[in-house]
Amino acid sequence: MEGDIDRILITHEQLDRRIREMADDIAACYPEEDTGLVLVPILAGSIIFLADLIRRLPMKMKLGLIAVSSYAGAVTESRDASITRDLSVDITDQHVLVIDDILDTGKTLRLVGQRLRERKPRTLRTAVLLRKPSKAPADVTADFVGFEIEDEFVVGYGLDYDGHYRNYPHIAVLKPERY
Ligand code: XMP
């Protein structure tokens, strides 16, 4: 796997430090006595970010999983997003925090936001590890952002290319011949 990597953009140590800061910001937004928080990670890219983030959050919460497909197979261009696994937790009148790996074209978060708003949550916020400011449209925003990156296809720390590299511990760019 290491031989496929061209450059590391964000090391695991940098990720770890930033996720601690994000957890503090998120915790400040949801005081501990305020119950009814549901985290909604978008599968599968957010799993490692989620695992590191939630262990730094002190408040009571539930998890509700949702899966969206937009990059099926060996592609780096997002197609139309579709929900492949819907939420099974009741979020009506709950505080909902959507967790995603990356805000790229915004199609995924737009779709998930629309679907969740239909269920009348009390509040709906979003936390993303990465954001590509040059691509994200103005109508899709994230309340908590880990890092802003250039418009390059990245892998590692949960993000995949054709199903691989999710277990690579850093955020990295593959060698051109690997795409
Ligand atoms: P959109 O374009 O809908 O993207 O904002 C959201 C989902 O697409 C995947 N994605 C990426 N995956 N490297 C990846 O490994 C990337 O650079 C990348 N950009 C988008 C990702 O699953 C994200 O949730």
Side-chain angles (χ1 to χ4, degrees):
M1 181 166 66
E2 192 72 53
D4 293 351
I5 303 297
D6 187 32
R7 276 172 300 126
I8 292 176
L9 290 187
I10 309 171
T11 65
H12 180 255
E13 292 74 20
Q14 289 171 307
L15 290 162
D16 191 53
R17 264 198 305 278
R18 182 67 188 124
I19 289 168
R20 283 170 196 267
E21 291 170 359
M22 291 180 83
D24 289 345
D25 293 344
I26 291 169
C29 215
Y30 301 100
E32 209 171 340
E33 64 275 15
D34 195 357
T35 55
L37 175 62
V38 182
L39 257 62
V40 179
I42 303 178
L43 300 176
S46 69
I47 52 170
I48 298 184
F49 174 40
L50 172 82
D52 282 350
L53 182 71
I54 56 173
R55 285 177 295 170
R56 314 236 176 271
L57 293 173
M59 61 283 212
K60 255 169 97 170
M61 68 177 68
K62 289 183 180 173
L63 282 186
L65 309 179
I66 194 165
V68 174
S69 130
S70 51
Y71 284 71
V75 292
T76 58
E77 287 302 315
S78 98
R79 307 205 176 115
D80 282 344
S82 62
I83 292 180
T84 55
R85 179 196 198 280
D86 213 342
L87 190 67
S88 54
V89 172
D90 181 14
I91 58 165
T92 307
D93 205 31
Q94 306 291 297
H95 293 293
V96 172
L97 178 64
V98 176
I99 308 285
D100 204 7
D101 50 359
I102 184 164
L103 170 50
D104 190 333
T105 64
K107 288 177 194 165
T108 301
L109 283 179
R110 187 183 291 119
L111 176 69
V112 169
Q114 281 163 356
R115 182 65 65 94
L116 297 183
R117 266 190 294 275
E118 288 166 7
R119 303 188 186 187
K120 308 268 182 274
R122 195 178 331 167
T123 61
L124 181 61
R125 294 189 179 92
T126 307
V128 295
L129 180 64
L130 307 172
R131 178 170 172 268
K132 293 182 182 173
S134 59
K135 297 243 320 265
D139 68 309
V140 185
T141 55
D143 301 275
F144 307 96
V145 177
F147 297 88
E148 304 217 313
I149 62 167
E150 299 295 316
D151 182 17
E152 291 185 283
F153 196 84
V154 293
V155 299
Y157 202 73
L159 291 112
D160 75 304
Y161 174 67
D162 198 17
H164 290 121
Y165 311 106
R166 291 195 198 277
N167 58 320
Y168 191 67
H170 316 288
I171 298 288
V173 178
L174 291 176
K175 288 181 176 157
E177 62 269 25
R178 289 290 160 201
Y179 290 113

